Amino acid sequence: LNPIEQAFAKIKHWMRQAQKRTVEDTWRHIGHLVETIEAAECKNYFANAGYASVKT
């Protein structure tokens, strides 16, 4: 997996749990979910994907 796929997998999981049924509710919820992904989590996604430029 590349880093963006890992983030998308997490967002898709949260979206399935939320079961939003309207387009407006879906977009609002996606916006909320994206804000919850923190920099440290993104750093871990890059490290997990094997990018050597990630410094710890």
Side-chain angles (χ1 to χ4, degrees), residues 2-54:
N2 69 40
I4 195 70
E5 289 172 340
Q6 293 176 60
F8 283 162
K10 186 171 189 171
I11 290 170
K12 286 189 326 185
H13 171 75
W14 287 336
M15 289 301 297
R16 286 185 189 106
Q17 285 185 334
Q19 297 183 3
K20 300 296 181 188
R21 297 295 179 226
T22 67
V23 173
E24 185 176 316
D25 286 345
T26 299
W27 279 113
R28 190 175 294 122
H29 194 64
I30 289 171
H32 169 72
L33 294 176
V34 169
E35 291 175 353
T36 64
I37 298 175
E38 298 185 8
E41 188 173 354
C42 292
K43 179 180 170 185
N44 290 337
Y45 291 155
F46 278 95
N48 187 46
Y51 284 89
S53 62
V54 176

